[in-house]
Amino acid sequence: MTRVWQWNRPVTVREVLEDLQQERSIAYTTVMTVMDNLHQKGWVRREAEGRAYRYTAVSTRAAYSAALMNEAWSTSDNPAAALVAFFGMMSAEQRDALRDAFRIVGYDDGSAAEPAAEQAEPAAEPAAEPAAEPAGPPDGTAARPPAATPSEPPPAEGDSAGRGAEPGR
């Protein structure tokens, strides 16, 4: 998946194979099996191109990471304690990224429990027009939840069951 996400375009088994072979020896059939497994699990879609397939990621790496974090948090018997422990492990850069994320989704400085748009303000007069929708992310794209992702992570490239291989290869 790392290669598919990095290239951000449809890729063939041959392209992934050639890239992986720069780092280690790996068989075409191994890469083909892993790509097929990723397709069967819903992580990539594929389109026929001649006698080969071109594979495209179904969701972004960010959506995948978010789904993993959400799954881990939701399986905790004490979600608040899990968050406290998680925040305690964060680097300064990660805390800055968290603050930025809070600003993007409409929370104030990250210390408020409710979105800034929902916090009470003193009402002077009733508005003549309905309130505008909250602004989306600063890049102008519409805010929407990440695409649904399968509950289990994709296997590592060297192993169709996801065991014993280096992660992210």
Side-chain angles (χ1 to χ4, degrees):
M1 281 306 302
T2 298
R3 298 312 199 270
V4 177
W5 282 322
Q6 282 175 342
W7 291 331
N8 197 27
R9 64 172 174 79
V11 297
T12 64
V13 169
R14 176 74 52 200
E15 290 172 317
V16 174
L17 172 72
E18 290 171 358
D19 192 48
L20 289 171
Q21 284 180 332
Q22 292 178 17
E23 299 172 15
R24 62 189 168 119
S25 178
I26 188 168
Y28 180 92
T29 54
T30 301
V31 177
M32 182 175 63
T33 299
V34 171
M35 297 299 283
D36 185 60
N37 288 342
L38 291 171
H39 175 256
Q40 289 178 22
K41 291 180 178 189
W43 285 96
V44 295
R45 69 178 136 260
R46 66 183 181 193
E47 292 184 25
E49 184 177 281
R51 294 177 51 197
Y53 287 110
R54 285 214 172 260
Y55 294 87
T56 308
V58 170
S59 71
T60 65
R61 183 176 216 144
Y64 170 74
S65 296
L68 285 178
M69 289 187 285
N70 186 55
E71 182 179 342
W73 185 44
S74 67
T75 60
S76 172
D77 60 347
N78 188 342
L83 282 175
V84 168
F86 178 67
F87 294 154
M89 294 179 206
M90 294 176 89
S91 67
E93 293 81 19
Q94 290 169 322
R95 288 190 302 274
D96 289 342
L98 181 61
R99 281 187 209 93
D100 291 342
F102 273 126
R103 279 191 289 275
I104 289 168
V105 298
Y107 288 84
D108 61 5
D109 66 352
S111 63
E114 297 184 44
E118 294 176 8
Q119 292 179 3
E121 292 183 22
E125 294 180 28
E129 296 180 353
E133 289 290 317
D139 63 359
T141 60
R144 59 179 175 244
T149 57
S151 61
E152 64 182 66
E157 273 111 0
D159 186 293
S160 62
R163 297 178 304 270
E166 267 185 58
R169 296 279 170 138

